[in-house]
Amino acid sequence: MDAAWLEDFLALVDLGHFSRAAEQRCITQPAFSRRVRALEEWVGAPLFTRDVLPVTLTPAGERFRPVAEETLRRLFQGREAAREAGRMAAETVRFASTQTLSVSFFPNWLRTLESFESVQGTIQLTAAHMAACEQMMLRGEAQFLLCHDHPATTHMLASDQFRSVHLGTDVLLPVSVPRPDGAGPLFALPGAPEAPLPLLSYTGESGLGRIVARARVLERSEATVRPVFASHLTSVLVAMARDARGIAWAPLSVVADDLERGRLVRAAGAENDIPIEIRLYRPRARQSPAAERLWALVAGRDWDVPAGDGVEDSDPSALASKDTDPL
């Protein structure tokens, strides 16, 4: 059944004449009559008495009239709701972010971005571990991905289907609680075979965990460790480190305050630090106007935002090969 037939039906109910109703519906009278007949065939009963003027409804037509009115009302309401949802979706910019950066970087970065130019549309942020963020991007559920990056790591977005821009720098460093006498870390690299260090490690779906593994920092430092706890959440690993459960690698942006207040200390020298990048990824395919406006604002500026005190002292030269490329 065509929804236009219901509109024809109600127009004829209101006007009582085929010619007037056809004129209101902007079609010829023969075409209008055929559409009314088609509706009656679909219903399976005559809806109008045609032997009097103005035409009147049959008992079947009287029963059908409220159904037609309610059906059209719901259709038009549904259409408007769908259009509004479509407008809102087109104006929403969807970010996926690793959980660490969603707290330590994204709010301040967005505030900085808005200080340059008003960001149009609604910003929607979903925080998850790196593996989930990758899937969101591959399925088109997010338009941008904010994550840590390192030249040694690979991920599902390192292909010709995506491009990225450098936003800032950070550094992963091993931390431990201090000894009771304050003379250095309680757990200090490299440890010893007879006394392996308890390691608080990232799980495999964590982006930072991939970076630590690929950078092979444990092998390079000849560390002797025994894994005692694992999580994809940096905040959990840092909390466990504060509780003297072991040694953890954490971004300086997350533990800077702990280091300053003495709750945590470096567990090794700076040679065991891992310089990392903060990057924003997007698909190469063109996106919504709101997303493209935001990308133009981001890509049109030089970003080098230190994520923590001291990050600017790390050597960024190893990261230069992954700078954004033009469309």
Side-chain angles (χ1 to χ4, degrees):
M1 189 196 69
D2 191 333
W5 297 352
L6 298 179
E7 296 180 86
D8 295 339
F9 169 79
L10 294 176
L12 186 53
V13 169
D14 290 339
L15 297 174
H17 295 270
F18 277 83
S19 58
R20 295 176 186 172
E23 182 179 356
Q24 184 187 81
R25 298 288 293 144
C26 300
I27 59 175
T28 64
Q29 182 174 334
F32 181 84
S33 297
R34 286 194 297 271
R35 294 198 333 198
V36 172
R37 183 67 67 185
L39 176 63
E40 291 176 319
E41 290 175 358
W42 183 86
V43 171
L47 300 175
F48 295 97
T49 57
R50 292 169 168 80
D51 53 356
V52 296
L53 285 178
V55 296
T56 58
L57 288 169
T58 64
E62 293 285 359
R63 183 67 63 87
F64 186 70
R65 177 178 180 175
V67 175
E69 292 172 338
E70 178 66 14
T71 299
L72 277 180
R73 182 163 51 250
R74 287 181 174 272
L75 279 173
F76 290 140
Q77 288 174 345
R79 182 179 67 181
E80 288 307 307
R83 286 176 174 175
E84 180 62 23
R87 285 191 292 269
M88 292 179 63
E91 295 171 358
T92 298
V93 181
R94 303 184 305 277
F95 283 85
S97 172
T98 54
Q99 283 159 322
T100 299
L101 287 175
S102 70
V103 176
S104 67
F105 183 84
F106 185 83
N108 289 336
W109 173 74
L110 182 61
R111 189 179 303 113
T112 302
L113 188 66
E114 291 171 332
S115 70
F116 297 139
E117 185 176 323
S118 176
V119 176
Q120 300 180 19
T122 301
I123 302 296
Q124 176 181 304
L125 175 68
T126 301
H129 54 65
M130 183 63 178
C133 289
E134 288 172 327
Q135 290 301 319
M136 289 179 64
M137 290 291 286
L138 293 172
R139 292 194 297 262
E141 296 170 358
Q143 297 158 314
F144 300 102
L145 167 60
L146 182 66
C147 65
H148 285 110
D149 212 346
H150 186 274
T153 59
T154 58
H155 48 70
M156 295 182 182
L157 307 187
S159 72
D160 292 340
Q161 298 180 35
F162 296 90
R163 61 176 306 215
S164 66
V165 64
H166 168 95
L167 296 184
T169 54
D170 206 339
V171 61
L172 280 169
L173 68 155
V175 294
S176 162
V177 292
R179 293 170 54 179
D181 60 6
L186 180 63
F187 306 108
L189 287 173
E194 65 275 11
L197 299 175
L199 177 65
L200 308 170
S201 59
Y202 291 98
T203 55
E205 64 264 24
S206 163
L208 292 177
R210 296 180 192 176
I211 291 173
V212 172
R214 292 282 185 167
R216 305 184 69 82
V217 64
L218 290 172
E219 293 88 337
R220 288 191 287 104
S221 64
E222 299 182 351
T224 303
V225 297
R226 57 182 178 88
V228 296
F229 183 81
S231 174
H232 69 272
L233 292 169
T234 299
S235 58
V236 173
L237 297 182
V238 171
M240 295 290 283
R242 291 195 202 105
D243 198 37
R245 298 298 188 93
I247 184 175
W249 262 262
L252 180 57
S253 57
V254 175
V255 297
D257 186 62
D258 287 304
L259 295 174
E260 182 178 346
R261 295 174 180 272
R263 291 189 294 256
L264 294 172
V265 296
R266 284 179 170 271
E271 67 275 7
N272 291 290
D273 292 355
I274 308 173
I276 53 178
E277 249 190 315
I278 300 169
R279 296 194 75 87
L280 186 69
Y281 279 84
R282 62 155 291 173
R284 282 190 175 274
R286 190 159 188 84
Q287 305 198 85
S288 70
E292 292 296 341
R293 285 193 300 269
L294 187 139
W295 177 258
L297 178 58
V298 172
R301 295 188 176 274
D302 292 329
W303 297 93
D304 193 14
V305 181
D309 293 339
V311 176
E312 60 271 20
D313 296 331
S314 62
D315 180 13
S317 59
L319 305 172
S321 62
K322 299 185 78 172
D323 284 347
T324 184
D325 53 4
L327 283 173

